[in-house]
């Protein structure tokens, strides 16, 4: 069965095909490969874009959907993860799940039976966000290869997905500027570094905003309060303050576009002039969540065609 639990599970060809297919859906491609399929949508954490994207994407591809909220499954009354997976796999063709907990839970469901599983966000990684980001770049620039991206902010699950996705493209450069103590997880950084060495990409991470290079194509940030997490120290806002994205970053990268995975808090991680300004692709990026979701659902279903 095909699953999307981590971007590291994909071959380079699969990753590139998913991004390209998302761009095709954004350009108006139409398909109904999920006709007569049933897609479960289980969100244990809040979601506006991802939940709507996968629900509407499944419907547009011809599927029926069953939705579960955080209190709907017997997991809350002590049923095991394994038993839940065995039951759901006998009734669903695909399960899209956001837990904000450990990824291993999704892997246990993937092993339970004939049901594809899609990671709509766990604590470690947000793979469908990474695909959305690259689809947005593909649509805007006509390519991903060779783009120079500056990421500013916490090394959270969205940053992890960006690093794991972008470093699979030759000639790309990803510069991460993350607050001290809030960088990428060491294992994510190591894996992304290995991918960069293999593909010919460049990856670096620093923990200040000093001596930024010029000429970025993209400036990207995420909100400081990541869904489902808390900060370990009370003074974290002081640590994050120098990493706010302001218009000053465009002085040396005047042609850069701005990305944000949303929701955004204007005046915290980004100023209103940037988020709502002419360089911002943040709301187009949000729309591309639908197109990436459709690409993922179609790809998972293709093995049964």
């Amino acid at each position: 069965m095909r699953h999307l639990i981590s971007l590291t599970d994909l071959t380079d060809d699969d990753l590139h095909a998913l991004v390209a297919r998302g761009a095709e859906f954004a350009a108006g491609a139409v398909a109904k490969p999920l006709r007569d399929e049933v897609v479960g949508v289980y969100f244990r954490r809040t979601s506006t874009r991802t939940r709507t994207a996968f629900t509407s994407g499944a419907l547009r591809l011809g599927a029926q959907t069953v939705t579960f909220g955080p209190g709907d499954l017997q997991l809350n009354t002590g049923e095991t993860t394994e038993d839940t997976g065995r039951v759901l796999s006998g009734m669903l063709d695909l399960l899209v799940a956001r837990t904000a907990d450990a990824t291993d839970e999704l892997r246990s469901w993937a092993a339970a039976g004939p049901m594809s599983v899609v990671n709509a966000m766990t604590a470690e990684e947000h793979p469908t966000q990474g695909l959305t980001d690259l689809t947005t770049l593909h649509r805007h620039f006509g390519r991903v290869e060779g783009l120079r991206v500056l990421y500013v902010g916490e090394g959270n699950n969205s940053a992890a997905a960006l690093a794991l996705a972008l470093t699979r493209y030759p000639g790309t450069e990803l510069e991460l500027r993350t607050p001290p103590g809030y960088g990428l997880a060491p294992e994510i950084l190591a894996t992304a570094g290995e991918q960069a060495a293999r593909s010919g990409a460049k990856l670096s991470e620093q923990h200040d905003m000093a001596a930024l290079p010029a000429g970025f194509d993209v400036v990207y940030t995420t909100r400081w309060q990541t869904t489902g997490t808390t900060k370990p120290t009370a003074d974290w806002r002081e640590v994050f303050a120098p990493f706010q994205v302001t218009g000053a970053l465009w002085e040396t990268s005047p042609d850069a576009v701005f990305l944000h995975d949303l929701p955004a808090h204007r005046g915290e991680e980004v100023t209103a002039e940037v988020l709502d300004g002419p360089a911002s692709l943040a709301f187009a990026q949000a729309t591309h969540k639908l197109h990436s979701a459709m690409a993922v659902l179609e790809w998972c279903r293709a093995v049964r065609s």
Side-chain angles (χ1 to χ4, degrees), residues 16-274:
H16 297 167
L18 282 166
V19 171
R21 185 58 170 156
E24 289 175 0
F25 279 123
V30 178
K32 295 285 185 181
L34 271 64
R35 188 178 289 112
D36 300 324
E37 299 284 288
V38 180
V39 177
V41 182
Y42 172 46
F43 275 63
R44 193 180 296 161
R45 300 287 185 172
T46 58
S47 175
T48 298
R49 282 148 291 275
T50 307
R51 181 171 181 170
T52 306
F54 273 101
T55 304
S56 62
L59 294 170
R60 289 169 186 266
L61 293 173
Q64 301 296 312
T65 62
V66 180
T67 60
F68 310 99
D72 291 342
L73 298 181
Q74 296 288 4
L75 286 165
N76 292 315
T77 64
E79 185 171 33
T80 67
T81 295
E82 292 75 15
D83 287 352
T84 299
R86 290 176 67 182
V87 170
L88 292 178
S89 68
M91 302 181 186
L92 301 175
D93 298 293
L94 299 102
L95 176 66
V96 179
R98 167 173 291 190
T99 66
D101 295 316
T103 304
D104 288 347
E105 182 178 15
L106 271 63
R107 294 200 183 280
S108 74
W109 290 337
M115 173 182 71
S116 294
V117 176
V118 175
N119 177 0
M121 193 182 79
T122 57
E124 299 96 331
E125 188 182 340
H126 195 351
T128 62
Q129 181 64 52
L131 293 173
T132 295
D133 299 340
L134 268 59
T135 296
T136 305
L137 298 180
H138 191 290
R139 283 287 290 164
H140 183 78
F141 292 100
R143 61 184 171 87
V144 177
E145 294 84 354
L147 294 178
R148 301 183 66 220
V149 179
L150 170 65
Y151 176 88
V152 180
E154 185 175 17
N156 56 23
N157 44 28
S158 288
L162 178 67
L164 292 173
L166 194 65
T167 53
R168 307 278 282 276
Y169 283 80
T172 57
E173 297 182 28
L174 177 58
E175 176 98 8
L176 296 127
R177 295 299 178 104
T178 57
Y182 293 93
L184 282 181
E187 60 272 18
I188 296 290
L189 190 61
T191 298
E194 291 167 3
Q195 292 179 172
R198 186 180 72 243
S199 69
K202 294 182 180 179
L203 174 70
S204 64
E205 182 180 46
Q206 297 185 47
H207 303 297
D208 58 48
M209 293 295 287
L212 276 174
F216 287 107
D217 299 298
V218 182
V219 177
Y220 191 149
T221 195
T222 67
R223 71 172 175 173
W224 290 345
Q225 291 274 38
T226 303
T227 300
T229 65
T230 57
K231 300 291 186 292
T233 59
D235 66 344
W236 67 268
R237 288 186 181 277
E238 297 175 20
V239 176
F240 275 65
F243 296 85
Q244 184 184 66
V245 172
T246 70
L249 291 179
W250 272 258
E251 292 176 4
T252 56
S253 297
D255 298 322
V257 298
F258 174 70
L259 296 185
H260 192 304
D261 59 355
L262 300 180
H265 288 181
R266 293 168 178 83
E268 288 194 357
E269 75 276 5
V270 61
T271 60
E273 72 163 324
V274 171

